């Protein structure tokens, strides 16, 4: 969703770009934070990263609680 006004970012208290969110079918926020645990910009390190978003979606699809439901996002700060 594109929200140039910043309304959606403010609603979810987004701090960085990217700041990832996973919302379940009941419209409950089940994950928020970083896309993964690797702050490096080196593409060679992607394969060894833990992707928090994929893990959250897999746990949600399996009917489980999200293990890491809240992580520290990283990236460029959002200036509203």
């Amino acid at each position: 969703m594109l929200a140039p006004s910043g309304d959606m970012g403010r609603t979810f208290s987004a701090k960085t770009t990217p700041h990832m969110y996973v919302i379940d079918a009941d419209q409950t926020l089940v994950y928020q934070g970083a896309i993964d645990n690797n702050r490096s910009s080196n593409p060679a390190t992607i394969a060894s990263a833990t992707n928090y978003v994929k893990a959250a979606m897999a746990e949600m699809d399996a009917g489980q609680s999200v293990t890491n439901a809240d992580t520290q996002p990283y990236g460029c700060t959002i200036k509203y």
Side-chain angles (χ1 to χ4, degrees):
M1 170 185 230
L2 182 60
S5 67
D7 291 344
M8 290 303 293
R10 285 185 187 91
T11 297
F12 285 98
S13 300
K15 297 173 180 69
T16 64
T17 181
H19 192 146
M20 309 303 291
Y21 299 91
V22 176
I23 300 168
D24 70 11
D26 295 324
Q27 298 184 2
T28 300
L29 180 64
V30 296
Y31 174 77
Q32 76 82 31
I35 193 166
D36 61 27
N37 68 340
N38 184 354
R39 294 175 178 257
S40 173
S41 60
N42 181 349
T45 64
I46 293 172
S48 63
T50 298
N51 187 310
Y52 294 131
V53 174
K54 284 184 180 181
M57 294 184 71
E59 289 173 330
M60 185 179 64
D61 287 346
Q64 302 169 345
S65 295
V66 175
T67 304
N68 291 312
D70 188 353
T71 64
Q72 182 65 42
Y74 62 88
C76 299
T77 58
I78 297 174
K79 294 150 188 78
Y80 293 105

